[in-house]
Amino acid sequence: PGKPSLLHLHSKHYPDSAAPAPAPAPAPKPAPAPAPAARPAPARAKPAPAPEPASAENCTREEIAQALHEDLDDVARCCNCTVSHTYDDADPWTHEVLVWIRNVTGEPVEGGVQEGLKDGRVLCKLVNCIQPGLVTDLHKSKIAYLCMENIEFFLKGAKSIGVSKNDLFLPGDLYHAANLKQVVIALAALGRSTHNVASYRGPTLGGGGGEDYKARHVADETAMAENQAKLEEISRDEAEAKAKAKAYKENIKDEHYKRGDPMEKLIAQWMGDVLKREVPSDVDELWEFLKDGCVLIELANTIKPGVVTHKPRKSKIAYILLENVGKFCESLGPLGVKPSNKFTPPDLFEKKGWPKQVLQCLWDLGHKCAKVPGYTGPYFGMD
């Protein structure tokens, strides 16, 4: 007692240690990570220019029809009425077209558009009345593919008169009644295109068609009669040509070209009948007879005068003889020979396709010549 304690001495000489240690300062919070730099906003792309409206020349028939249907719907909504896009024989426009066909051809269209026109005969007569001679090969059969071929003849004639491709229809649109509305559109376009034919003086649509035609165009009856006379004359010529061909076939008979004979003998016999002179039937002699091409050109021009305008030249120079044969080969298409049966000049001149390909071509020509307009000579009648 009375002595300072160690703790007292320690705090006297070391005053700092006697004080309680201060609480440690809290650790500083880590600085927040810097925000990533913002990416520059991408440049806004310029809007694409609006497409130019398509012209009617570049539109298909379906696109034009759809646009017309939409326009009709807009009109119907404005007028608070309904517009039908379906075909109807009783439609006034259809009736006017049928009346126009009757006035031009002189034949009523019985049974409406599909029943009255599906065989194509009235349509072919229609284009021939507008421009005589447009359709020269008309089928009178009711077989489907022949009727559709008649419709094809009409479509080609209408296009040559000036009807736009977008206004025409497909044969199935009429024959199978797939799109009779388009058929009426094509006929109406034909009625408006008659002004393209300078010699036509008959009724038109949109400028003289309909029931009032006779009252306003009495003077045109003479022109219609003249057109009818031309059509009758063409029909008479075709009938005479067919009668001559039939008579010749009955006189010649199939026994004239016997089936059992070799092909080269039958071809030589047929060529002799056409050219009215002797043609060798031996294979080697026939090749010598044909290789210069002069006889072949004479044969082609006998079947269809003027089909080969090249004047054949007799020579010993190879390229001249090849030219003669080549001109005959070019005429095989107009004469109706199938492409698979044609031959080339080297096939004959260099014997690359002799005798098989050349004789096959002449055999086909002997059959197809019967269908050449104006030809009434001999032909193979075995098919």
Side-chain angles (χ1 to χ4, degrees), residues 152-315:
E152 285 280 4
F153 295 153
F154 161 77
L155 293 173
K156 291 179 181 178
K159 186 175 180 181
S160 66
I161 290 175
V163 178
S164 171
K165 182 180 179 180
N166 288 328
D167 289 331
L168 294 177
F169 59 91
L170 301 176
D173 292 343
L174 172 57
Y175 191 84
H176 298 297
N179 192 352
L180 294 178
K181 191 73 173 180
Q182 187 63 37
V183 176
V184 178
I185 291 173
L187 292 172
L190 177 62
R192 295 191 301 270
S193 300
T194 52
H195 66 275
N196 296 327
V197 183
S199 61
Y200 180 70
R201 296 293 183 272
T204 60
L205 281 176
E211 295 288 354
D212 58 346
Y213 165 70
K214 291 184 179 180
R216 294 186 288 123
H217 297 277
V218 177
D220 290 340
E221 295 291 340
T222 303
M224 293 178 62
E226 292 176 357
N227 287 340
Q228 186 67 26
K230 290 180 181 179
L231 289 174
E232 292 176 356
E233 184 178 356
I234 293 173
S235 299
R236 284 196 301 271
D237 293 342
E238 291 178 352
E240 290 176 2
K242 290 181 180 179
K244 289 180 181 179
K246 184 177 180 180
Y248 182 86
K249 183 176 180 181
E250 290 176 353
N251 292 333
I252 294 295
K253 304 291 184 183
D254 284 344
E255 287 75 12
H256 188 69
Y257 302 114
K258 295 182 180 179
R259 292 176 182 266
D261 290 342
M263 181 183 288
E264 61 269 17
K265 181 178 179 180
L266 293 174
I267 291 173
Q269 187 178 1
W270 168 70
M271 292 179 63
D273 292 341
V274 175
L275 301 175
K276 295 181 171 45
R277 56 172 161 161
E278 191 69 25
V279 176
S281 59
D282 180 72
V283 174
D284 296 330
E285 294 178 359
L286 184 59
W287 177 78
E288 288 287 344
F289 186 71
L290 300 177
K291 72 173 185 177
D292 62 359
C294 297
V295 175
L296 293 176
I297 291 178
E298 181 184 355
L299 176 68
N301 282 330
T302 303
I303 296 174
K304 186 175 182 179
V307 69
V308 181
T309 57
H310 172 74
K311 185 177 181 180
R313 294 184 291 172
K314 289 187 174 293
S315 173

Side-chain angles (χ1 to χ4, degrees), residues 51-374:
E52 297 181 359
S55 61
E57 296 178 355
N58 299 327
C59 294
T60 63
R61 190 178 74 190
E62 290 77 7
E63 293 171 345
I64 293 175
Q66 181 64 30
L68 291 175
H69 287 184
E70 292 174 357
D71 290 344
L72 285 175
D73 291 336
D74 293 339
V75 172
R77 283 192 293 270
C78 294
C79 299
N80 195 21
C81 62
T82 58
V83 177
S84 174
H85 303 311
T86 58
Y87 167 80
D88 184 7
D89 267 322
D91 181 72
W93 185 26
T94 303
H95 176 72
E96 184 177 355
V97 170
L98 297 181
V99 170
W100 171 70
I101 294 175
R102 183 192 66 191
N103 289 338
V104 175
T105 62
E107 294 187 9
V109 183
E110 299 178 353
V113 173
Q114 205 260 342
E115 290 298 326
L117 303 177
K118 66 182 292 186
D119 61 0
R121 294 170 61 183
V122 175
L123 294 177
C124 291
K125 184 176 181 180
L126 176 63
V127 293
N128 275 337
C129 288
I130 296 173
Q131 186 171 335
L134 276 182
V135 179
T136 57
D137 189 9
L138 180 63
H139 304 299
K140 296 183 179 180
S141 173
K142 295 291 185 180
I143 300 176
Y145 80 91
L146 294 179
C147 294
M148 296 183 74
E149 192 170 5
N150 285 342
I151 299 174
E152 285 280 4
F153 295 153
F154 161 77
L155 293 173
K156 291 179 181 178
K159 186 175 180 181
S160 66
I161 290 175
V163 178
S164 171
K165 182 180 179 180
N166 288 328
D167 289 331
L168 294 177
F169 59 91
L170 301 176
D173 292 343
L174 172 57
Y175 191 84
H176 298 297
N179 192 352
L180 294 178
K181 191 73 173 180
Q182 187 63 37
V183 176
V184 178
I185 291 173
L187 292 172
L190 177 62
R192 295 191 301 270
S193 300
T194 52
H195 66 275
N196 296 327
V197 183
S199 61
Y200 180 70
R201 296 293 183 272
T204 60
L205 281 176
E211 295 288 354
D212 58 346
Y213 165 70
K214 291 184 179 180
R216 294 186 288 123
H217 297 277
V218 177
D220 290 340
E221 295 291 340
T222 303
M224 293 178 62
E226 292 176 357
N227 287 340
Q228 186 67 26
K230 290 180 181 179
L231 289 174
E232 292 176 356
E233 184 178 356
I234 293 173
S235 299
R236 284 196 301 271
D237 293 342
E238 291 178 352
E240 290 176 2
K242 290 181 180 179
K244 289 180 181 179
K246 184 177 180 180
Y248 182 86
K249 183 176 180 181
E250 290 176 353
N251 292 333
I252 294 295
K253 304 291 184 183
D254 284 344
E255 287 75 12
H256 188 69
Y257 302 114
K258 295 182 180 179
R259 292 176 182 266
D261 290 342
M263 181 183 288
E264 61 269 17
K265 181 178 179 180
L266 293 174
I267 291 173
Q269 187 178 1
W270 168 70
M271 292 179 63
D273 292 341
V274 175
L275 301 175
K276 295 181 171 45
R277 56 172 161 161
E278 191 69 25
V279 176
S281 59
D282 180 72
V283 174
D284 296 330
E285 294 178 359
L286 184 59
W287 177 78
E288 288 287 344
F289 186 71
L290 300 177
K291 72 173 185 177
D292 62 359
C294 297
V295 175
L296 293 176
I297 291 178
E298 181 184 355
L299 176 68
N301 282 330
T302 303
I303 296 174
K304 186 175 182 179
V307 69
V308 181
T309 57
H310 172 74
K311 185 177 181 180
R313 294 184 291 172
K314 289 187 174 293
S315 173
K316 294 184 179 180
I317 302 176
Y319 84 88
I320 293 179
L321 303 183
L322 284 168
E323 185 181 16
N324 292 341
V325 179
K327 295 300 180 182
F328 168 76
C329 294
E330 292 175 4
S331 71
L332 294 174
L335 293 175
V337 177
K338 295 179 180 178
S340 59
N341 290 332
K342 296 179 182 179
F343 66 90
T344 61
D347 289 339
L348 173 59
F349 189 78
E350 300 175 8
K351 288 189 174 183
K352 292 185 176 181
W354 179 267
K356 183 177 179 180
Q357 187 63 33
V358 177
L359 294 183
Q360 182 64 38
C361 176
L362 295 175
W363 179 262
D364 192 23
L365 178 61
H367 287 82
K368 294 299 189 301
C369 65
K371 298 182 179 180
V372 175

